[in-house]
Amino acid sequence: MSVIIRESGLYTSIQDLGRQKYQHIGIVKNGSIDQFNHRLANMLVGNNEDEALIEMTFKLPAIQFTEPTLIAFTGANFPAYKDNEKITPYKIHLMNKGEVLSFGEAAKGTRAYLAIAGGIVAEEWLGSKSTSIRLQMGGHNGRILQVGDEIEMCRNYTSLQKKLFENLEETKTADWGVDQYTLALNYFTDIFHVVSGEGMTHFNEAEIKHLENQVYKVTNRFNRTGLTLEGKSVINRKIVDQPFLSVKKGTVLLNQENQPVVMLNDHQSLSSYPQIGTIASYHIDKLAQKKHNSKMIFKKLTIQEAELNLKKHAQFIKQIKTGIKYKLNEELNK
C-alpha cells in the first residue's frame, strides 16, 4: 500500500541525510536541508534518524493515505489538517485509510518534514535515497513529487511501532510531543555565527566589522543550492587572483556584486568567488527555514568560540532526544 500525492506543493521531494563520501568527485551531498528536524520527525515515529522521508518546501502538498499508518511532521509551523481536523506538529498521529493530510501557509519558516513509521520505498543511488534533481537520480524517479505519484510504505514495523498503533487506536494522537516554543528560540533568530576560513585572509578587520554591522535580507533567489542576500556591499573593491577553494554547506561567498551568498546542500564543490567564512555547524539547520525577505545578521567567531557554542548546542539536542526516547519507552510499556 502507499501514500498518494493529491497536491504536489511547490518543491516536494524524498530525502534522507544525503550522500556522504562523493563531494571530492563533484557529486553533491543532497539530503534534507534541515537535518535536525529530519531526525526529530523520524525519532517521533520510531524510525532510525537517517530514514528517508518527505521534505516539503514553502507551499506544502496534500497527501492521502491508503492504509493506517503513523506519521510525524516537523519544521516550519505550517497549519496542518487531517481531513478537516487541525493537528499539531512534533507529535505522533495515526492516519486512517483514506484520510488526507494537508497544510496551510506558515507565518515563519520554509520547510517541513514528514516521517512515516517504517520508512518509505525509494530509489537508492550511491548509498542514499535522497533525490538529486540535477542528476535525476534517487528518491522517486530522480525528481520532485507530482500529483498522482504513489510512494510505497515499507511497513517493516518494530515492536515499538506496533505498540504505538495499538496505543493510538482510540485517541489518534499522542498526548505528548516536542515543545515548539523551545525550538523556535533556537530556529527563528536572525543572527548567524561565521567561522573564519582560508578565504577570510582577503578581508581586513574594517571590512569584517562592516559585514557584522549590516542586516541582510534573503532575495527571491533561494533554493536547495543556496541563499542570495541583499544589502550594503560587503566590500567596495574587487578581489583579484582568488584561488579555487572548496565549498561546503554553510560557506558564505561574495557574488559579483559583493553581496553574500550562503551555500546549501546542492552546492558546487569548488568556487573562485571570495569566501567570507562558513556558518557555524550549530546554526546550519536554521538556514533551511529562511524565506524571501527574512533577515540575516552575521557575527564572526573564532574556532574556539564556535567549539564552546557547539558543546552547548549538542547538550540542547541531547536533552530533546532524551525526552523523546523517554516518552517512547513509556508508550512501549503502557
Side-chain angles (χ1 to χ4, degrees):
M1 301 295 283
S2 61
V3 297
I4 303 173
I5 306 300
R6 294 304 185 194
E7 296 177 15
S8 60
L10 182 64
Y11 202 103
T12 306
S13 65
I14 294 173
Q15 302 290 340
D16 56 22
L17 296 182
R19 297 174 178 88
Q20 306 296 330
K21 302 176 182 179
Y22 301 95
Q23 294 182 59
H24 67 288
I25 57 173
I27 297 174
V28 299
K29 183 178 177 181
N30 305 123
S32 290
I33 304 291
D34 184 344
Q35 302 215 335
F36 177 51
N37 270 308
H38 178 119
R39 293 175 184 274
L40 289 188
N42 272 322
M43 285 188 70
L44 284 165
V45 294
N47 290 344
N48 292 329
E49 293 182 27
D50 59 353
E51 183 62 59
L53 47 59
I54 298 176
E55 181 181 72
M56 307 172 288
T57 306
F58 200 66
K59 185 178 183 300
L60 272 54
I63 301 174
Q64 186 173 35
F65 295 80
T66 63
E67 68 175 82
T69 192
L70 301 166
I71 68 161
F73 55 95
T74 61
N77 194 13
F78 290 89
Y81 305 88
K82 182 169 68 170
D83 286 348
N84 295 319
E85 175 191 355
K86 191 169 184 178
I87 58 175
T88 307
Y90 295 98
K91 281 190 171 185
I92 311 168
H93 301 280
L94 175 63
M95 300 294 294
N96 286 323
K97 179 179 179 180
E99 288 183 328
V100 175
L101 176 68
S102 60
F103 299 88
E105 294 184 7
K108 285 188 175 182
T110 304
R111 292 180 172 87
Y113 295 85
L114 173 65
I116 298 172
I120 54 179
V121 177
E123 175 189 340
E124 188 171 311
W125 178 58
L126 297 180
S128 169
K129 293 181 179 179
S130 287
T131 307
S132 173
I133 305 298
R134 185 182 304 168
L135 298 178
Q136 298 182 345
M137 299 294 287
H140 187 78
N141 298 324
R143 58 168 172 78
I144 60 175
L145 299 180
Q146 301 173 1
V147 174
D149 284 345
E150 296 191 30
I151 310 300
E152 292 293 323
M153 295 185 289
C154 293
R155 301 192 299 281
N156 185 23
Y157 299 124
T158 64
S159 56
L160 168 62
Q161 289 164 335
K162 291 175 182 177
K163 192 67 167 64
L164 286 169
F165 271 107
E166 178 185 324
N167 294 351
L168 300 182
E169 185 175 358
E170 296 296 329
T171 62
K172 309 301 181 187
T173 300
D175 60 3
W176 59 273
V178 177
D179 178 26
Q180 296 177 65
Y181 180 74
T182 301
L183 294 177
L185 291 175
N186 183 66
Y187 261 82
F188 295 114
T189 58
D190 296 324
I191 294 175
F192 286 80
H193 293 168
V194 178
V195 180
S196 301
E198 184 179 356
M200 185 71 84
T201 57
H202 291 287
F203 303 92
N204 59 47
E205 285 299 319
E207 289 168 337
I208 296 301
K209 185 60 66 177
H210 173 73
L211 169 72
E212 292 181 313
N213 289 336
Q214 305 309 311
V215 177
Y216 291 93
K217 286 188 176 182
V218 178
T219 70
N220 58 7
R221 290 178 290 167
F222 74 98
N223 51 33
R224 287 182 54 85
T225 299
L227 305 169
T228 300
L229 310 182
E230 63 181 358
K232 289 187 178 180
S233 298
V234 176
I235 57 175
N236 295 312
R237 60 188 176 89
K238 184 176 181 180
I239 294 178
V240 296
D241 300 326
Q242 169 68 37
F244 278 89
L245 297 175
S246 62
V247 173
K248 59 183 179 180
K249 184 177 180 181
T251 296
V252 184
L253 310 175
L254 294 187
N255 62 17
Q256 293 179 336
E257 292 76 39
N258 285 328
Q259 299 286 345
V261 180
V262 186
M263 296 290 98
L264 292 178
N265 292 45
D266 294 359
H267 60 77
Q268 67 267 37
S269 298
L270 296 171
S271 174
S272 62
Y273 284 103
Q275 293 187 16
I276 297 173
T278 302
I279 301 293
S281 60
Y282 50 85
H283 280 170
I284 286 286
D285 287 324
K286 71 177 182 178
L287 284 171
Q289 303 302 343
K290 284 297 177 182
K291 62 197 303 184
H292 182 212
N293 281 332
S294 59
K295 298 176 182 179
M296 291 186 65
I297 300 168
F298 296 108
K299 178 177 174 56
K300 179 189 172 185
L301 264 67
T302 65
I303 293 176
Q304 292 75 20
E305 290 171 325
E307 286 177 345
L308 288 175
N309 288 335
L310 179 59
K311 290 179 181 178
K312 295 177 184 177
H313 184 70
Q315 184 62 32
F316 167 73
I317 291 176
K318 182 180 179 180
Q319 289 173 346
I320 293 173
K321 289 184 175 182
T322 299
I324 293 174
K325 291 175 182 177
Y326 176 80
K327 298 302 291 188
L328 288 175
N329 189 59
E330 282 192 333
E331 293 284 352
L332 186 59
N333 292 310
K334 281 185 178 178

